[in-house]
Amino acid sequence: MKTSILLFSLALSLSAVGQTRYDKEQLQKEPLNRGVVALSDNDGHVYISWRTLPTDPAGLPFDIYRNGQRLNSKPLTTGGTFFIDEHPLDTDATYEVKGGGHDGSWTLKAQSPANYLSIPLDRPEGGTAPDGRRYDYSANDASIGDVDGDGQYEIFLKWDPRNSHDNAHPGYTGHVFFDCYRLTGERLWRIDLGQNIRAGAHYTQFLVYDFDGDGRAEIMMKTADGTIDGKGKVIGDPNKDWRCHDDDRRKGRILDGPEYLSVFDGLTGEALCTSDYVPGRGDVEAWGDGYGNRCDRFLATVAYLDGRRASAVFCRGYYTRTVLAAWDWDGRQLHQRWVFDTDDPQWTAYAGQGNHNLRTADFDGDGCDEITYGSMAVDHDGTGLYNTGFGHGDAMHIVVEPGTQRLFIWDCHENKRDGVDLRDARTGKVVFQNPSPIDVGRCMAADIDPTNPGMEVWSIADRHIYNTRGEIVRDHVEGRMSCNFGIWWDGDTLREMLDHETVLKYDWQANTVQPIVHFEGIRFNNGSKSNPCLQADILGDWREEVVARTHDSSELRIYVSPLPTPHRFVCLEADIPYRLSVAAENVAYNQPPEMGTTLQTPAGIR
């Protein structure tokens, strides 16, 4: 019964395979390779995992080789892109996956750890702030990008000083650093943002993507006087210190001086172009307070605003005035595409509607991306799309309707009134709403129950699970019903939950949540937010990897699921909304990446 229900749910989800909101012929996408990875499991066996690419035909045969010797007795044409070599590994071995003209390989060292890739880190030296307090560094948010065009992602890592601050609090912070590492552990460069960029989740948004379409990723972020690029070149005036030193309420904040937006080469870290950040802070009090809490709330995202090439959208403000500025990078210059500003009289009602995060996808089906910015949305041309007026919130998620592929937004609110709502992502029309007298700080959406076709939604407002019609699917769930991250991990088509270094599984038969794996020796980031450095489909099959730091930040670990899967899905990064949500996963309050389509194969269920 369980299997038949699960396959029915999956079949319904796959009924719209082939439908797309983007013009595949025009859209510039990353040319990914086979993404082969080989790791030892806890029993000493080796598991090999690789990508299904969008160009692969159904039933594409694969062959697996170990040091040149084929391991499979006949070509692998069905099942997941996952293979177990049960022979003990007593020496280094090179595993090859051949098939479809996109062959790949991975060399596994005999003494490699089980279930994860290890990337040694070069932790920056700590320092002493002007107030005399010492600080050190820990590895924080990360992103991915292919810096040399070989089809394999590199890791971009932000280093956060221990004295980083939320905008609500004054105080000095150490410098923010960015590194780029290959999966082999080679560090390519380091960027120092300098003393005029404050450290904290709301200050240092960074976007990694191939913006000019040359097959190599860039990194874009806000910079200031004293930023040092990956080649040692200083942006602006290296001697300027714009930090506040006298006013206790403003101490350590940067509320004066120039603000820049810079594009850096992904391979070298060299600053390629720097422009003025839009919008500038202007009059600090005009944003709603006099000490910089509201004027320095930044967000950012990547969007295909013309349906062809990726643009960067850097934003400022969401409690009061809200500004989104779209930029195009052509490999030589930054060009401003448009600016949406709630100081514009036609958009004043859109002020104060932003979240601590945002979502990007083609919500209205016109082939170009829109941006859901909390309770309001901005169209691809920089005009307002809709505004619910529900105000600010901490989290929101993309919900896909099976069969039709319509997109919805599940959003929670802080105002102790509007609770949570599910709305049409194109029009803002509310499908259902659960008002609440509490600050609903977290909500989550994922397909976790196969007895209900499509995705389920829930929040911290109650212990119920709802379907997309607002009906209670399960009430009074027992156990740790996390509203943090969702992850595809165990090999079935349902999504698991990821929270506090643990993967959790909802048991729909017992109506409870159980841990299925706890990652030892690592620590998630950002306090109670408890998110990994990154979660994404980085390599291997369609499932997601967990990127996290060790306790002392001496090592970055990339955990790969050791569990077999019978399903052969196209890699998740091929879904554009998923790829864009990976690019924006690090922004402010980190959110899990989410797809704009249901899981699909080139030709349905296999």
Side-chain angles (χ1 to χ4, degrees):
M1 179 65 178
K2 168 182 167 182
T3 301
S4 63
I5 292 173
L6 184 60
L7 288 178
F8 173 78
S9 177
L10 177 61
L12 185 59
S13 296
L14 294 173
S15 63
V17 168
Q19 295 185 21
T20 178
R21 292 174 169 80
Y22 301 93
D23 186 335
K24 293 182 178 180
E25 299 301 320
Q26 293 190 18
L27 193 70
Q28 293 183 350
K29 299 177 69 174
E30 298 165 309
L32 297 176
N33 65 13
R34 190 56 73 187
V36 176
V37 62
L39 291 171
S40 296
D41 63 18
N42 292 328
D43 296 323
H45 301 145
V46 175
Y47 59 98
I48 305 97
S49 183
W50 63 98
R51 290 184 181 121
T52 299
L53 300 172
T55 54
D56 290 341
L60 176 67
F62 291 104
D63 290 306
I64 314 301
Y65 295 82
R66 172 177 170 172
N67 293 333
Q69 180 179 358
R70 194 171 83 162
L71 299 179
N72 51 306
S73 59
K74 60 181 180 179
L76 306 176
T77 58
T78 60
T81 52
F82 186 96
F83 184 86
I84 296 177
D85 176 12
E86 296 185 351
H87 298 86
L89 184 69
D90 52 13
T91 186
D92 298 354
T94 296
Y95 289 89
E96 295 178 273
V97 176
K98 296 185 178 182
H102 292 277
D103 300 344
S105 65
W106 185 274
T107 299
L108 180 63
K109 303 294 184 181
Q111 302 304 315
S112 296
N115 300 323
Y116 67 84
L117 312 181
S118 174
I119 299 178
L121 297 178
D122 182 11
R123 188 171 70 164
E125 291 290 330
T128 302
D131 57 9
R133 298 181 181 179
R134 290 283 303 169
Y135 60 88
D136 53 20
Y137 283 89
S138 61
N140 194 255
D141 295 334
S143 192
I144 52 171
D146 178 6
V147 303
D148 53 14
D150 65 354
Q152 179 61 64
Y153 289 125
E154 279 71 44
I155 303 292
F156 292 71
L157 178 68
K158 181 178 79 170
W159 288 98
D160 219 28
R162 185 169 55 180
N163 61 351
S164 66
H165 283 294
D166 184 85
N167 294 53
H169 306 292
Y172 295 101
T173 74
H175 295 200
V176 177
F177 296 96
F178 283 89
D179 290 350
C180 183
Y181 291 89
R182 295 192 188 277
L183 297 184
T184 59
E186 177 189 1
R187 195 189 82 181
L188 298 178
W189 47 257
R190 170 166 290 168
I191 294 171
D192 177 357
L193 289 187
Q195 64 186 3
N196 293 310
I197 294 289
R198 201 167 188 240
H202 302 291
Y203 295 99
T204 49
Q205 318 310 339
F206 62 100
L207 298 177
V208 178
Y209 214 80
D210 176 15
F211 290 103
D212 59 2
D214 68 352
R216 302 190 305 114
E218 296 82 36
I219 178 170
M220 294 178 63
M221 53 190 154
K222 186 173 181 284
T223 57
D225 284 341
T227 295
I228 304 173
D229 75 3
K231 289 195 167 183
K233 182 181 177 181
V234 179
I235 294 173
D237 187 337
N239 301 313
K240 286 290 188 181
D241 181 356
W242 294 105
R243 293 173 295 181
C244 299
H245 296 287
D246 300 325
D247 185 340
D248 285 343
R249 199 177 189 193
R250 294 184 168 206
K251 188 166 289 184
R253 300 179 186 273
I254 298 99
L255 302 178
D256 203 355
E259 301 174 280
Y260 307 124
L261 178 66
S262 296
V263 185
F264 299 87
D265 185 275
L267 182 61
T268 67
E270 179 184 8
L272 302 175
C273 183
T274 294
S275 183
D276 290 336
Y277 191 89
V278 175
R281 67 176 71 85
D283 180 4
V284 171
E285 294 187 356
W287 296 87
D289 62 54
Y291 58 96
N293 179 21
R294 298 192 174 191
C295 77
D296 278 355
R297 298 283 179 161
F298 299 101
L299 298 176
T301 190
V302 180
Y304 287 88
L305 299 174
D306 62 0
R308 186 174 68 89
R309 180 176 291 179
S311 298
V313 183
F314 281 86
C315 319
R316 187 176 213 142
Y318 41 74
Y319 290 127
T320 52
R321 181 188 178 193
T322 297
V323 185
L324 291 76
W327 298 86
D328 296 333
W329 167 246
D330 64 7
R332 298 176 302 276
Q333 297 293 326
L334 275 168
H335 304 276
Q336 191 172 102
R337 176 176 285 269
W338 49 252
V339 175
F340 174 91
D341 190 343
T342 59
D343 272 1
D344 185 328
Q346 63 180 323
W347 310 124
T348 54
Y350 284 64
Q353 302 300 315
N355 275 22
H356 289 304
N357 39 68
L358 67 179
R359 292 288 182 181
T360 303
D362 178 13
F363 292 122
D364 60 8
D366 63 359
C368 303
D369 284 326
E370 287 72 45
I371 301 162
T372 299
Y373 199 90
S375 293
M376 61 92 160
V378 175
D379 209 344
H380 69 275
D381 59 0
T383 60
L385 186 64
Y386 70 76
N387 174 23
T388 67
F390 290 155
H392 169 72
D394 280 3
M396 61 180 168
H397 302 277
I398 295 176
V399 176
V400 187
E401 183 178 68
T404 69
Q405 303 292 291
R406 288 175 62 200
L407 300 181
F408 298 85
I409 295 293
W410 177 239
D411 193 8
C412 57
H413 309 287
E414 281 190 1
N415 58 22
K416 301 182 180 181
R417 181 193 67 208
D418 291 312
V420 285
D421 74 280
L422 184 81
R423 62 181 182 267
D424 188 306
R426 179 179 64 88
T427 65
K429 181 180 179 180
V430 175
V431 178
F432 80 91
Q433 181 183 9
N434 292 335
S436 176
I438 70 169
D439 172 353
V440 184
R442 289 290 181 276
C443 61
M444 185 58 198
D447 184 5
I448 61 172
D449 188 337
T451 66
N452 172 64
M455 297 175 67
E456 294 78 48
V457 297
W458 63 96
S459 75
I460 66 168
D462 56 43
R463 301 192 66 80
H464 303 331
I465 300 174
Y466 298 85
N467 63 22
T468 54
R469 297 181 298 278
E471 301 164 340
I472 296 177
V473 176
R474 307 283 176 173
D475 59 2
H476 304 293
V477 178
E478 298 294 329
R480 184 169 147 197
M481 192 65 185
S482 171
C483 289
N484 197 359
F485 270 49
I487 183 171
W488 281 286
W489 180 264
D490 68 356
D492 65 22
T493 59
L494 301 174
R495 212 171 192 194
E496 288 69 57
M497 291 165 272
L498 180 67
D499 194 9
H500 286 88
E501 301 88 30
T502 304
V503 177
L504 304 138
K505 183 80 171 180
Y506 174 64
D507 183 340
W508 61 91
Q509 294 172 316
N511 195 30
T512 187
V513 179
Q514 300 292 338
I516 60 174
V517 62
H518 179 76
F519 303 114
E520 299 289 347
I522 63 165
R523 180 170 294 171
F524 280 5
N525 290 324
N526 303 322
S528 63
K529 309 300 184 294
S530 181
N531 57 266
C533 297
L534 183 71
Q535 174 206 309
D537 178 15
I538 297 173
L539 72 178
D541 61 32
W542 57 274
R543 289 171 294 175
E544 296 170 291
E545 286 68 57
V546 176
V547 183
R549 62 181 175 92
T550 53
H551 291 260
D552 62 357
S553 290
S554 63
E555 176 189 15
L556 201 65
R557 295 181 180 179
I558 304 177
Y559 287 90
V560 181
S561 177
L563 304 175
T565 177
H567 302 291
R568 185 182 290 194
F569 294 122
V570 173
C571 61
L572 303 189
E573 300 288 359
D575 181 77
I576 290 299
Y578 181 90
R579 181 66 185 94
L580 298 183
S581 61
V582 170
E585 182 179 330
N586 61 77
V587 170
Y589 288 178
N590 305 54
Q591 297 288 285
E594 292 168 339
M595 298 182 70
T597 56
T598 45
L599 289 174
Q600 49 188 272
T601 69
I605 301 172
R606 276 185 274 202

